[in-house]
Amino acid sequence: VRSVTSQPTEVAVRMYNVGFGDCFLLSFAYPNGSRRVRHLLIDCGSTKQARNVGLDKVVDDIAGRVDKLDVLVITHRHADHLSAFGTASGGQTLEGLAPAVVLRPWMDDPKVPADADEPVRSFVGGLHLAQHFAGALEQAITETRAGVARDGQATSPGRRPDLLDFVVGQVANTSAISRLDRIAANTDGRYLCATATPLSLRHLPGVRISVLGPPTYHQLPALRREGKDYKDQYWLTQTGLLQNALAVAGLTSRRAKNLAREALEARDSDAVIGPARWLIARMQDRHEQTLERIVEGIDNALNNTSLILLVEVGTRKLLFPGDAQGESWSWALEYAPNRSRYRELLKNIDLYKVGHHGSRNATPKPLYELWTTQRRELVSLMSTLPGKHGAASRNSEVPRRTLVIALNRLSAALYRTDKLGNAVSLAVSADTRSRDAFAVATDQQ
Amino acid sequence: VTANHAELLRRDAQTWMRVSVLAKDPLYLDSGRVVVTQVRVPGGVLESGPRDHRFHVVDFDLTTGKPPAAPPPPTVNGKPGWEFRDVLARPRGAGALVRNRALHGQHVWGVAAATLARCEQALGRRVPWHFPCAQLFLVPHAFPEANAYYDRWSRAVFFGFVPRADGLDVYSCLSRDVVAHEVTHAILDGLRERFLESVLPDGLAFHEALADVVALLELFSSPEIIEAELEARLRESRQQARSAIVEDELRRSALFGLAAELGRALGRSGGLRRSIDLEPDSKYLSRPEFQEPHRRGEVLVAAVLRTLLGIWTLRICELDPQGRTYLDRAAEEGATAAQQLLNMLLRAIDYLPPVDPEFTDLLDAVLLADEVIVPTQRLDYRSQLATWFTSYGLTAQVRGRSRPVDLRSRSLDYRQISATSLQSDPAEVYRFLWQNGEEIGFKRRYYTDVETISPVVRVGPDGLVHRETIATYSQRVEGNPATLRRHANNALKIPRGFDTEGDAEVVFFGGGVVVFDEFGHARLHVRKSIDDWARQGSVLRRLARLGMPVGADRAIAELHLDQPDDDW
């Protein structure tokens, strides 16, 4: 007998203390039916774990609370969003939760759709090449540093200490990806792009999921022809930034490695005597900046593949934008033909998962503006770890100070993983029929 | 010709060298070969590199880790000297040219030297770099990136390249307009060092605009490109030669597009920029997307190019379209118009305030500079430029902005001031400012640097020589915004959300240009008052918006990539 469950009465969002990464468990309580609590997991990964809370603890906690996953969402392929699937035990545990539906962005489909044209193929291939390049670069930096340590040279290559970290974050986590591909292949795996009609999943009755991003490859350039100006260069910029990396990576991984190594090794300046010697030392420094920009290009491109999901349940609206940045957001906010509907949807948000760990360009100001006039109280959840990425001196620190101030001003509460101490998670919940703000869940000690 | 005269003629030929460079870039072909043109470069002792007294080409590529490639010696006998051996003169296919990296040095050097010579010619003096060394490094194969930039800190212009699997790498150093653009950044930085540090968007935008204008108008000095373009464009309209058709055809020509090849490498089919396609609109500058320097600069570029197009069209339509020399003459008219316009704009730099330049200052400066050289109005250029500037909103007067002040009628205090010393001595210039503070609107209370004193000699169309001395000074005041507001008697508005707590300090700049005539009498004062609190208020608003300390350390490298303007 099919249960008559129609509407969850309560929704809880549990934010896990993963360090630098994302892991959110949404649980919906139904008044009746075969399964009274149903679960949706959004991402599970970390590139720098929280002190005293390992990723395995997080996975165990999930497994302890969840008998079965109804829906699994992997917003995008960055390691800090899926690395738990790459470990032997953690990955197995998560796979064991047998998600019925797996949602991922369109470009993560292991089979490029047959109707994809050349630009789409080259973009999708480009993302892979970019990650390949990152892998070669990581190896080169590591080898160079090891070489320097061995030779005991005084000069340290890689004057930008965070370059390696930054690179590591871009490298494809192949074991996690292949596990996810397998899970998705064996169940209902869907690869999504921004669409006008919301998803209604059989496994989550009464829950509507609107997909606001990522746009397809062809959506934004089409607008350029209408002369809509500047932001339209989204994919072009993506492709352009990628191109450097791709061009190098596309040749041979050996060349990519040489590129990195030569840039990082302290130069033996005997070959260059005279006025140019001074210049070459300077070039070396600039060259690292070049590499950093290439890696930044890869990072931006991958962030912008994020699914942007708006979850509606009863009176509640919850926004999970992954790591999507302004460029990808511009589709929903500025360019989509149905943007007025999107903008309506984006008003009166109850819960906001702060985009991209609170970085400077993942909470578009036009989006923020929509909330300044809303009556409903906003609760923001921010999974972040200061000191891992960016620098205050370049106004790129994560989380960005000015954003935190702005969110604090706007939100009834802003919860951050880096303030959780030794706690594995924090959960907030709300009744789906009232309008009171999300509150820290009662089981939270 | 007698042997004696031949010797004299030969020596004369060495004053200028003719150096082959690419007419545009390796995509610009004629019957499968890259079109090469010759530029004029001042003669001098050449060393391997090429390296002359102003430029040092260093062909060092960190990605291969190889020491500098040995370029072909630029002189005939391989020894340093005045003779020049042209390795690019022979026509080549794009593949051969691209693969033979040793040839690239000459191209970079030739375009750079011609660009510098062009600016020096207009300004009537040597142009210094931002740093004391007379040589600017040019690195043709600096890094694998679709970018090229002037780097003050490295005293160099770096040219990137995009490696490609088919071996036909894209080299930014082979794009003539890219080289001219970047070298213009270096030139302007030598003349007005604070433009790069300007917080208000016009400073950087002016950099970008001038660099684009120089790059585009320089092309007009190569008749073969113009003729080829005219041939392609005007063949049809030759029957009718109506101005609307001519104008439209010219406008669509490749002459007005920038960095076609590099643009393609970045995935933009129309080249990096085609500012001329920006339709006139007086509201651009206030639109948010036009706060980004390149985009903003395009407004100015568009106004200049439309002026050129207007004058050129006018001239072409006066020609007999059936005439045998129609195309030659038409090309010549274009070259003349471009040259005149470029001269006007370059000369205007001297009359721009040394800090916080705004687009609205430029037309003033052009008209003032041209007034000295060309006292009789050449209606064409001056009024056309003024008209186009107005239609792009580049003449809108900001309330309270100080206009250039004519000092000739003022009774100024020259006691104890030596006209000779005024031509070179900063202390003497400062004394002049100090002594005439009230009369000329110079505020003694602020810290002041006399930054540059340049003697300028120019030849007007009447053939007579004009001598001037141009002195620039800057002033600064720094402090916590709240303190500064008190200092300004609350005339300074602090934007909402601006961080006034903590020990964050801001620096406000002011400054001016004083032009002295050959008798040591001040003729003109162009200034940006330091206590113009409305302007300093916009500086604060801009800082609040960018949320960053803006300074020269922000390399142009990053400017050339997309600037996040909506970031937190």
Side-chain angles (χ1 to χ4, degrees):
Chain A
V1 179
R2 195 163 172 265
S3 72
V4 289
T5 308
S6 57
Q7 194 83 320
T9 50
E10 195 189 277
V11 54
V13 179
R14 182 168 296 276
M15 169 168 76
Y16 280 98
N17 189 1
V18 289
F20 200 91
D22 259 10
C23 181
F24 292 86
L25 179 67
L26 278 64
S27 302
F28 303 90
Y30 291 84
N32 47 35
S34 54
R35 281 168 42 73
R36 294 287 181 89
V37 185
R38 302 189 181 216
H39 304 282
L40 182 160
L41 181 70
I42 303 181
D43 295 340
C44 191
S46 171
T47 42
K48 184 173 182 181
Q49 303 191 1
R51 199 191 299 197
N52 302 327
V53 183
L55 204 49
D56 43 350
K57 258 193 192 169
V58 169
V59 172
D60 289 347
D61 188 273
I62 296 172
R65 292 174 192 277
V66 173
D67 53 334
K68 172 186 165 43
L69 271 181
D70 297 274
V71 181
L72 170 65
V73 173
I74 301 297
T75 57
H76 66 298
R77 69 174 81 159
H78 263 141
D80 59 334
H81 290 252
L82 49 69
S83 67
F85 290 86
T87 62
S89 66
Q92 216 153 30
T93 310
L94 290 167
E95 194 172 354
L97 299 177
V101 181
V102 181
L103 307 180
R104 295 160 79 188
W106 63 267
M107 49 289 262
D108 285 2
D109 189 343
K111 297 187 299 289
V112 184
D115 59 346
D117 60 8
E118 176 45 35
V120 173
R121 283 171 191 281
S122 104
F123 176 73
V124 172
L127 293 172
H128 290 292
L129 278 174
Q131 291 193 289
H132 173 77
F133 171 75
L137 187 55
E138 178 199 358
Q139 203 184 339
I141 297 175
T142 319
E143 283 172 15
T144 313
R145 288 190 178 168
V148 168
R150 200 173 48 241
D151 302 345
Q153 289 180 22
T155 48
S156 114
R159 265 161 287 194
R160 302 177 165 260
D162 52 350
L163 181 63
L164 181 59
D165 261 7
F166 199 16
V167 171
V168 168
Q170 313 305 324
V171 179
N173 189 328
T174 42
S175 52
I177 296 285
S178 53
R179 187 187 299 275
L180 287 166
D181 288 349
R182 189 172 64 235
I183 300 174
N186 293 334
T187 58
D188 182 4
R190 304 191 194 183
Y191 298 91
L192 307 173
C193 60
T195 49
T197 34
L199 294 174
S200 289
L201 298 170
R202 185 165 55 86
H203 301 87
L204 289 179
V207 178
R208 296 209 313 170
I209 301 178
S210 297
V211 186
L212 282 67
T216 68
Y217 187 87
H218 289 292
Q219 279 169 333
L220 288 170
L223 286 153
R224 185 181 68 250
R225 283 193 293 275
E226 289 165 21
K228 278 227 172 178
D229 262 340
Y230 224 47
K231 277 245 181 73
D232 49 5
Q233 294 187 353
Y234 167 44
W235 290 114
L236 293 181
T237 316
Q238 301 299 306
T239 318
L241 287 171
L242 275 174
Q243 208 135 16
N244 298 299
L246 307 193
V248 180
L251 300 179
T252 60
S253 52
R254 210 175 119 220
R255 179 155 181 195
K257 252 172 72 177
N258 282 344
L259 161 82
R261 197 200 324 264
E262 295 299 341
L264 294 163
E265 267 174 7
R267 293 239 51 77
D268 172 9
S269 301
D270 285 355
V272 190
I273 300 286
R277 187 176 168 162
W278 172 86
L279 174 68
I280 285 160
R282 303 239 146 180
M283 280 176 70
Q284 217 180 322
D285 197 80
R286 288 298 190 226
H287 198 86
E288 281 198 41
Q289 291 177 14
T290 301
L291 289 176
E292 199 174 58
R293 277 197 294 273
I294 293 175
V295 177
E296 204 174 312
I298 298 172
D299 188 48
N300 290 337
L302 289 177
N303 284 335
N304 279 327
T305 65
S306 284
L307 284 172
I308 303 176
L309 301 182
L310 183 88
V311 179
E312 286 175 283
V313 48
T315 57
R316 301 299 179 172
K317 287 197 219 174
L318 297 77
L319 180 59
F320 289 87
D323 285 357
Q325 300 180 173
E327 299 86 349
S328 175
W329 263 114
S330 72
W331 171 253
L333 292 171
E334 290 174 63
Y335 296 131
N338 55 333
R339 58 186 173 277
S340 51
R341 197 188 79 85
Y342 280 156
R343 289 178 77 96
E344 252 345 280
L345 263 180
L346 288 165
K347 287 178 186 167
N348 294 316
I349 295 290
D350 293 281
L351 184 139
Y352 171 50
K353 194 294 293 194
V354 180
H356 196 206
H357 321 288
S359 84
R360 59 177 164 180
N361 54 3
T363 304
K365 285 184 179 164
L367 178 67
Y368 180 89
E369 288 302 319
L370 291 178
W371 302 333
T372 52
T373 49
Q374 77 175 26
R375 289 245 188 88
R376 234 182 265 195
E377 288 191 288
L378 179 76
V379 168
S380 302
L381 302 181
M382 186 191 286
S383 181
T384 193
L385 189 66
K388 165 82 175 158
H389 282 302
S393 60
R394 301 178 65 192
N395 296 301
S396 61
E397 80 276 17
V398 177
R400 175 87 178 115
R401 193 180 61 94
T402 45
L403 174 66
V404 171
I405 292 173
L407 283 173
N408 265 321
R409 199 183 302 147
L410 198 68
S411 313
L414 168 66
Y415 298 108
R416 300 167 50 158
T417 52
D418 61 316
K419 306 282 187 198
L420 292 183
N422 292 339
V424 178
S425 69
L426 173 132
V428 293
S429 64
D431 191 300
T432 61
R433 293 154 301 188
S434 84
R435 293 185 193 278
D436 301 335
F438 269 83
V440 173
T442 42
D443 74 321
Q444 190 76 32
Q445 294 308 310
Chain B
V1 181
T2 67
N4 281 347
H5 288 136
E7 166 62 18
L8 285 175
L9 286 170
R10 199 183 63 79
R11 258 196 273 165
D12 182 55
Q14 280 187 350
T15 325
W16 290 96
M17 292 185 277
R18 296 206 154 269
V19 179
S20 297
V21 300
L22 272 60
K24 274 183 92 72
D25 60 36
L27 289 183
Y28 198 75
L29 302 173
D30 180 26
S31 344
R33 300 194 182 281
V34 178
V35 182
V36 165
T37 183
Q38 292 195 319
V39 290
R40 271 168 29 119
V41 167
V45 173
L46 274 177
E47 282 211 14
S48 204
R51 184 179 180 210
D52 69 7
H53 59 289
R54 297 311 303 275
F55 296 100
H56 183 178
V57 178
V58 180
D59 187 5
F60 185 80
D61 172 4
L62 277 171
T63 62
T64 60
K66 283 183 195 145
T75 51
V76 177
N77 55 15
K79 292 184 189 137
W82 282 65
E83 283 175 81
F84 173 65
R85 195 174 68 92
D86 196 337
V87 293
L88 283 177
R90 193 164 58 84
R92 287 184 173 80
L97 183 70
V98 163
R99 272 187 283 270
N100 191 346
R101 281 185 166 206
L103 302 178
H104 300 180
Q106 177 181 322
H107 181 260
V108 170
W109 166 73
V111 176
T115 308
L116 178 65
R118 188 67 190 73
C119 293
E120 291 189 336
Q121 208 178 339
L123 288 167
R125 64 168 188 277
R126 296 276 173 239
V127 174
W129 301 125
H130 172 73
F131 37 84
C133 178
Q135 284 168 326
L136 176 71
F137 288 116
L138 303 171
V139 187
H141 311 111
F143 39 68
E145 189 176 21
N147 196 5
Y149 61 93
Y150 160 62
D151 181 13
R152 181 197 270 189
W153 181 73
S154 304
R155 303 181 171 187
V157 177
F158 294 127
F159 298 93
F161 60 96
V162 184
R164 294 197 341 180
D166 60 6
L168 282 179
D169 301 355
V170 175
Y171 290 103
S172 63
C173 71
L174 287 180
S175 286
R176 182 180 173 189
D177 39 16
V178 171
V179 179
H181 177 104
E182 297 308 330
V183 170
T184 306
H185 277 309
I187 291 169
L188 184 55
D189 195 31
L191 293 167
R192 287 285 183 272
E193 61 176 3
R194 297 201 183 276
F195 282 16
L196 276 186
E197 298 157 18
S198 189
V199 174
L200 296 177
D202 283 3
L204 292 172
F206 183 72
H207 248 279
E208 293 304 333
L210 188 78
D212 274 7
V213 164
V214 170
L216 287 165
L217 298 195
E218 255 295 279
L219 282 187
F220 281 80
S221 63
S222 303
E224 49 277 72
I225 314 175
I226 317 187
E227 277 170 38
E229 283 297 318
L230 288 179
E231 178 75 44
R233 289 278 154 205
L234 293 188
R235 196 182 301 131
E236 299 289 308
S237 65
R238 205 167 165 166
Q239 306 308 320
Q240 322 177 25
R242 283 214 319 273
S243 66
I245 295 169
V246 171
E247 178 158 0
D248 193 51
E249 285 295 327
L250 291 179
R251 184 181 144 177
R252 281 189 278 152
S253 98
L255 288 170
F256 294 112
L258 204 68
E261 192 188 28
L262 199 63
R264 200 155 81 168
L266 279 170
R268 300 174 200 181
S269 56
L272 214 49
R273 281 191 285 285
R274 269 194 76 84
S275 312
I276 199 163
D277 293 339
L278 211 58
E279 290 300 327
D281 182 339
S282 59
K283 296 278 185 286
Y284 282 129
L285 296 187
S286 52
R287 303 223 306 244
E289 67 266 33
F290 282 87
Q291 307 307 309
E292 188 274 333
H294 288 87
R295 194 75 178 137
R296 195 172 183 81
E298 282 198 80
V299 183
L300 181 52
V301 178
V304 172
L305 295 184
R306 291 291 179 113
T307 310
L308 172 62
L309 184 63
I311 294 171
W312 195 14
T313 308
L314 219 66
R315 292 289 167 85
I316 288 181
C317 291
E318 287 166 1
L319 301 174
D320 169 14
Q322 308 307 328
R324 214 159 31 87
T325 55
Y326 175 63
L327 288 182
D328 294 355
R329 289 285 310 281
E332 225 170 85
E333 292 294 350
T336 311
Q339 192 186 342
Q340 297 278 22
L341 263 178
L342 189 54
N343 271 339
M344 286 168 71
L345 292 165
L346 290 171
R347 282 198 301 255
I349 298 173
D350 277 342
Y351 291 76
L352 281 176
V355 300
D356 283 345
E358 291 167 273
F359 280 173
T360 49
D361 299 324
L362 184 61
L363 188 64
D364 282 343
V366 168
L367 299 181
L368 284 168
D370 224 27
E371 186 190 56
V372 188
I373 306 287
V374 195
T376 52
Q377 282 240 346
R378 261 194 335 247
L379 268 174
D380 275 351
Y381 292 89
R382 291 159 57 98
S383 60
Q384 287 260 5
L385 200 66
T387 310
W388 282 110
F389 268 50
T390 307
S391 65
Y392 280 95
L394 298 173
T395 50
Q397 289 305 323
V398 182
R399 203 161 49 86
R401 191 176 72 92
S402 29
R403 300 289 312 277
V405 182
D406 190 336
L407 297 178
R408 281 175 297 193
S409 55
R410 305 284 174 97
S411 59
L412 298 176
D413 186 350
Y414 290 101
R415 278 175 295 175
Q416 310 298 324
I417 290 176
S418 142
T420 319
S421 299
L422 271 184
Q423 292 175 8
S424 58
D425 185 352
E428 201 74 354
V429 171
Y430 187 64
R431 181 179 183 128
F432 168 83
L433 298 168
W434 182 263
Q435 214 153 294
N436 293 286
E438 287 76 11
E439 195 55 40
I440 66 171
F442 169 82
K443 303 286 158 43
R444 274 191 290 261
R445 69 178 297 186
Y446 297 103
Y447 179 85
T448 305
D449 277 334
V450 172
E451 295 194 328
T452 59
I453 305 176
S454 319
V456 180
V457 179
R458 294 170 188 164
V459 180
D462 55 1
L464 297 186
V465 171
H466 295 266
R467 287 196 178 80
E468 288 178 346
T469 302
I470 300 208
T472 65
Y473 67 90
S474 71
Q475 297 190 292
R476 56 187 286 157
V477 57
E478 54 226 305
N480 174 292
T483 319
L484 288 169
R485 180 171 53 191
R486 275 197 299 281
H487 167 82
N489 290 326
N490 292 326
L492 176 70
K493 293 218 166 31
I494 298 179
R496 207 154 53 90
F498 196 86
D499 187 9
T500 51
E501 290 152 28
D503 46 9
E505 294 205 333
V506 291
V507 188
F508 289 144
F509 287 97
V513 178
V514 182
V515 181
F516 297 100
D517 67 15
E518 37 199 325
F519 308 105
H521 287 159
R523 186 172 76 71
L524 186 73
H525 186 201
V526 184
R527 69 182 181 176
K528 288 278 156 176
S529 306
I530 188 167
D531 56 358
D532 175 351
W533 302 116
R535 189 180 86 249
Q536 308 297 19
S538 14
V539 168
L540 279 188
R541 276 199 301 283
R542 176 92 177 148
L543 279 176
R545 223 166 74 77
L546 297 175
M548 58 166 80
V550 178
D553 264 1
R554 192 156 55 123
I556 294 193
E558 317 217 325
L559 271 184
H560 280 193
L561 302 171
D562 292 80
Q563 272 288 299
D565 237 5
D566 305 328
D567 289 359
W568 290 96

